[in-house]
Amino acid sequence: MKKFRKVLDGLTTSPGTIGSPTCGSAASTPTAAPTPREIDVQEMLVSENFQICKTVRHGFPYQPTALAFDPVQKIVAIGTRTGGIRILGRPGVDCYCQHESGAAVLQLQFLINEGALVTACADDTLHLWNLRQRRPAVLHSLKFNRERITFCHLPFQSKWLYVGTERGNTHIVNIESFILSGYVIMWNKAIELATKTHPGPVVHLSDSPKDEGKLLIGFESGTVVQWDLRVKKADFRIYYDEAIHSVSWHHEGKQFMCSHSDGSLTMWNLRNTTKPFQITFPHGKVGKDGRKESCKPILKVEYKTSRNSEPFIIFSGGLSYDKAGRRPTLTIMHGKAITVLEMDHPIVEFMVLCETPYNNEIQEPYAVVVLLEKDFIVVDLTQSNFPIFENPYPMDIHESPVTCTAYFADCPPDIIPILYSIGAKNKKTGYSQKEWPVSGGTWTLGSQTYPEIIITGHADGSIKFWDASAITLQMLYKLKTSKVFEKPKPSEGRAADLAEEDPFAVQMVSWCPHSRVFCVVGISAHVILYRFSKYDGNTQIVSLDLRLQGDGEDPVSPSETENNPCFSDPSCHSPQHPPASPGCGTPDGAKDSNQCLKVKSRPVRMPPGYQAELVVQLLWVDGEPPQQITSLDVNSAYGLLAFGNCNGLAVVDYIQKSILLCMSTLDLYGAADPYQRLTRSPRKNRQSTSDFCMRGLSNFYSDSKKRIRTSYQSLTELTDNQVSMDMERSKSPTSVPYPTSIHNDPRILPEPVASLRASHYSPVFYLLDNVKGPGRKLSLPTDLKTDLDHVNGHCTSPTSQPCSAGKPRLPVGPEGPRLTRRGPGRPPFRKAQSAACMEISLPVSHTEGYASRRAMLQQLHGVSMYSHDEHHTTSYCWTERESRENSFSRSRSSSVSSIDRDTKEAVTTLQFGESYGRKNDALPSPCLWVGTSLGVALLIPISIPTDHEERLEEALTVGPSGGVLMLKGSILRFASLDCGGSLIQSPYEVWRDPNAPEDPDRPRRRKLVNFSPSSSQEACGDGHLAVVCSEKQAKVFLMPSQTCLFVHNITESSFVLRADVVSVCNSICLACFCANGHVMTLSLPSLRPLMDVNYLPLTDMRIARTFCFTNGGQALYLSSPTEVQRITYSQEMCDNLQEMLGELFTPIETPEAQNRGFLKGFFGGNAQNVDREELFGEAAAGKASRSLAQHIPGPAGMEGMKAAAGGVVGDLARARIALDERGQRLGELEERTALMMTSAETFSKHAHELMLKCKDKKWYQL
């Protein structure tokens, strides 16, 4: 615990003297408001409170490759292409492991009922995993040097693993020591000496159910050999014309079935192996000409017997080639019935679950586990219609690509049950009534649990609410935003090019759990506000339309200005349907004032749950689509909704359904603009850019369609060197050329604004600085010149020769003609993109530098920076004297900074709350904090009536003339603290059901919960602390004096992507995630560094888009297009994580083998056992060649594993397991002893009775 004391004497010091940059407003004046003489804050957090680690991963394993099932433990393992392993049991038992090499997992083999797993990877390495701990780890590894692994087989209750290779050889590995045996089955010995061709790789290995000493080896070419392990020779060889994909035994060991590449199944009998006794083409029909249809390969077949019915033959593939467009199938042949199950995705692997683990007993199959490319299902075989089981795991996160995430911890306790009850009404039906068969492991609810909710937005406009309490994930409720709009009609011509495949894609959400007000921003520049109700409703959805567009290049008449809500008086209300701009003479003028989507005009019946109340849409202007919305906030206590983009800010009163404010970002400054902006005359000849915009938008839509609808395999095929903007435009679904140089006419603007206003575009990632005055050159580090001069074939620096003439260099390829339609000086614009489809790789060597920051923020913020212009050729110079340390520092001259280029200042963050809008305010009032991409924080006071009736009728006033604060880099987050260091929550309205029946005796009134800065202070005028965090630094200001108390430069070599003020250990801190992968926490209010961990190198934009912090020291991000990774940075949670995770292994008695009776054993029905140790041990087989494979011990072998799972928790867990096993054995011994005693007493009784009966009889009478 540390105590920070800040004594403020008079507070007359210039704000610019604290910290490196200017801390206060350039136009600010000394305040007369009362201020505290002393701020006494006791900070509770220290570095020991923080530790970062992964907690759990949810979702479907991305790019699965392998599947395994333990029939005794009843757990399933899934391997992936990236080297990951997911082990699943009963709900709550979900474990993720990762191979350090990252090599794809080829095959998985459980050591049945032994708590271990063998993995074979694409780098020809075998790994043995210990599952008898909550965090599995590798015990041993074996790296093959000269041969490639193709197939593995581990017999039940055996410690010898058979390994087939690409050369056709079969090696044997001891599982206990993980060392190769000297026993090798060479391919040239397995086949006949007369055979001149190589049989191909080993594709199958299995021991005979009848004799463990016989090994069946299947080669890819169609050769099958049964090898006698004892005498080391082949019993028989089968040569078939078609390639073999899989082999499956009958449980009696007298026959087996093969699947082939021509879509056939062959049945072989061991009595006659010269030819198959049965050949079937399950899906091959004979045509009229007598020819059979050619069929696709049957990739796998399983032949399982049943005691009371016909055997099951289950296989994947085998469909005829002429049936194009058919989906992948799983075929179940049961007697004469053939059932074909069509799958939504290609089948990766399937396994039949049977009652017994022994391969020489009747199998009794009861389910089929099917692993698809993007799904995981289990089919019930016990019912004739083969229904599927309801999956308890959250495997459908990626049902539609995830585009945004939000994480809320410590929610109101009643929100989860009510969301679940409403969501349960819409659940699918038709599932199997039986219990989910993957039921292994144990999991108990931890002691430290609190309500947590994760919200995911998707490309199809759907939104899912997930219960994330106690490190589990369960779907609560699904909302479809597309139901608010009419279905888009099919278009023709150019309109067809503009047709958005996913026009409802969700970009961001804002949710108040207390008031249950929910706000959604869509990709079509629309905002939807929802209210929660437990009752049905028949509601008329109110639609508001507004223009939030920069000025056009043509002179605008005063009459147009009066009709344009963006530049009219700030306090006026925008008309609901603004008229089209009469100045647009382009063919796309019909698009003026049009909506991207059409809201349903009729009353809409809405089921219980979230019901749409208001839709706000941005309109097309001059044939140009609206800019993407970049920031959003909603406040239920004020009844206000605010959003902004790179053009300006809009504030909507959703209670009165009116627009309060619609202004460009520049107009928000008024006379307090910290920049000196140079006015520019309009261009003489205006070239239409509407066609370019439409073409660019259609390019985005087509790319979006390709990226979202394509297979997930293509998402990770981008390499680190593919970082050019050309690649990004072609690969990303959000690459959109968009005009950014939009000019204003100063003649039609008010005098104070005319001298300051110019079109400006936000370099979200750079603030061009060290400007000594108008017309001066801007400077940046010289090491960026080569990276930034030419991006995607376009010259980005006017110092380059082609650009000095104002002619951009055009790329070569299909994008070239499209870009030639762009108007002069109108660079491309990048739209916000689907988080699930972002795989933009970055060069590792530049991850921490500015070049990567530029490329990443072009993706993250949806903007690109271009500086060439035909009519303005002021050059930028790149000087060596600018270093990375001072490249972001602003000029401290009286002229402040000057921006004389085409820049747009985007609104990057918004926050409603109680604060002091002006320096001379004595009492706090409702305010809106506005953060921009130029590092400016604006404070806009709002006048809201306190009376309930007045609030419903009187108009609110917004005065954009409050304080101006400045930081380095784009503003990311605001927060308010009282002078005691506690977080001040935003006020909210207590939830009331809008559709509840009216009570005439008790009229419904709004009940507000207000956290005013003065409510927790002794003196009314003590003010509060404002925390402002940008992508480069964080500052703490004292309000209302706007004095900077603390400043901390978070990073110089990188930039912050996400920041939030969160609660940890009953205190608060500022948590930041940087682009170089560092996760940092800073104390509040002193901004003292508490933790800085290089945790997650940022290699794609999906992580940047979806990373979010929450209370309790937790965070999450989308680790792949299908998986959500949760992490914690709290030491307390790391310590308790072992208790929260599930146990993968539980002590279970291995089922005994079935007694087959005396007669079957007498006539050879029982399986013959073999002493494999005698055959494969070092004494008999010798040692294997050291050069063949290299043994790699795990973390110090078993000792390392004990240390990894050590500590009190690990020791207690091991002791508990040992006690459970010992108690179980003692219980079994006690039962057997009691049974023997009962048998002995019975025998003694019968013997005594027989003795009494025969005692008096002669011997001949017996």
Side-chain angles (χ1 to χ4, degrees), residues 1-2 42-46 49 1065-1067 1084 1088:
M1 182 187 303
K2 290 195 175 182
Q42 293 186 349
E43 295 185 354
M44 308 295 294
L45 293 177
V46 293
N49 294 124
C1065 301
N1066 298 321
S1067 188
L1084 288 176
R1088 177 172 44 91

Side-chain angles (χ1 to χ4, degrees), residues 280-575:
T280 57
F281 288 82
H283 297 297
K285 297 180 181 179
V286 180
K288 295 181 180 179
D289 55 355
R291 290 187 176 183
K292 289 185 178 180
E293 294 178 335
S294 59
C295 297
K296 299 177 184 178
I298 295 179
L299 301 179
K300 183 177 181 180
V301 64
E302 292 216 23
Y303 185 23
K304 302 298 180 183
T305 54
S306 180
R307 181 174 286 104
N308 299 320
S309 64
E310 297 288 330
F312 285 86
I313 299 174
I314 304 171
F315 61 90
S316 61
L319 292 178
S320 59
Y321 278 106
D322 61 347
K323 295 179 180 178
R326 288 198 59 178
R327 295 189 291 180
T329 60
L330 183 76
T331 304
I332 302 174
M333 300 173 63
H334 188 209
K336 295 182 180 181
I338 300 179
T339 305
V340 180
L341 305 179
E342 289 191 340
M343 303 295 170
D344 293 332
H345 311 285
I347 297 174
V348 176
E349 177 71 281
F350 74 89
M351 292 192 70
V352 180
L353 309 187
C354 302
E355 296 287 352
T356 176
Y358 296 94
N359 63 348
N360 58 355
E361 296 180 358
I362 297 176
Q363 301 297 290
E364 292 293 346
Y366 61 89
V368 183
V369 176
V370 187
L371 177 63
L372 308 177
E373 273 191 6
K374 300 175 186 177
D375 204 354
F376 178 77
I377 64 173
V378 181
V379 181
D380 187 357
L381 293 179
T382 61
Q383 301 182 40
S384 58
N385 59 341
F386 302 125
I388 65 172
F389 290 87
E390 184 177 5
N391 198 327
Y393 315 124
M395 293 289 186
D396 58 345
I397 292 177
H398 63 289
E399 184 178 18
S400 175
V402 178
T403 54
C404 73
T405 58
Y407 193 6
F408 300 88
D410 205 8
C411 298
D414 59 335
I415 190 68
I416 290 180
I418 193 168
L419 284 175
Y420 181 80
S421 62
I422 292 177
K425 299 176 183 178
N426 300 320
K427 279 194 173 182
K428 296 179 181 178
T429 57
Y431 294 110
S432 173
Q433 300 299 317
K434 294 195 173 182
E435 184 183 354
W436 177 254
V438 186
S439 57
T442 56
W443 179 77
T444 56
L445 194 64
S447 57
Q448 296 184 351
T449 59
Y450 43 84
E452 300 174 68
I453 289 180
I454 294 174
I455 299 176
T456 56
H458 300 265
D460 63 352
S462 62
I463 295 170
K464 295 180 180 179
F465 291 76
W466 306 84
D467 178 10
S469 308
I471 71 170
T472 61
L473 196 68
Q474 182 181 9
M475 229 258 283
L476 294 173
Y477 174 70
K478 183 177 180 180
L479 174 66
K480 294 182 180 180
T481 62
S482 59
K483 292 186 175 181
V484 174
F485 303 97
E486 301 284 358
K487 291 183 179 180
K489 296 181 180 179
S491 305
E492 298 179 358
R494 182 184 300 174
D497 296 336
L498 286 172
E500 165 71 275
E501 184 69 22
D502 292 298
F504 312 109
V506 179
Q507 276 194 296
M508 63 183 71
V509 297
S510 179
W511 184 49
C512 176
H514 301 280
S515 62
R516 304 180 188 176
V517 173
F518 187 55
C519 209
V520 182
V521 169
I523 200 170
S524 298
H526 62 270
V527 182
I528 311 175
L529 185 130
Y530 290 89
R531 303 288 290 270
F532 187 84
S533 175
K534 296 188 292 184
Y535 304 94
D536 290 342
N538 201 5
T539 310
Q540 177 72 46
I541 303 173
V542 179
S543 176
L544 297 178
D545 303 331
L546 57 87
R547 298 184 184 185
L548 201 56
Q549 200 84 359
D551 288 338
E553 294 176 0
D554 287 340
V556 184
S557 65
S559 61
E560 293 177 55
T561 308
E562 293 173 2
N563 291 330
N564 191 340
C566 295
F567 311 115
S568 56
D569 184 71
S571 61
C572 74
H573 291 231
S574 171

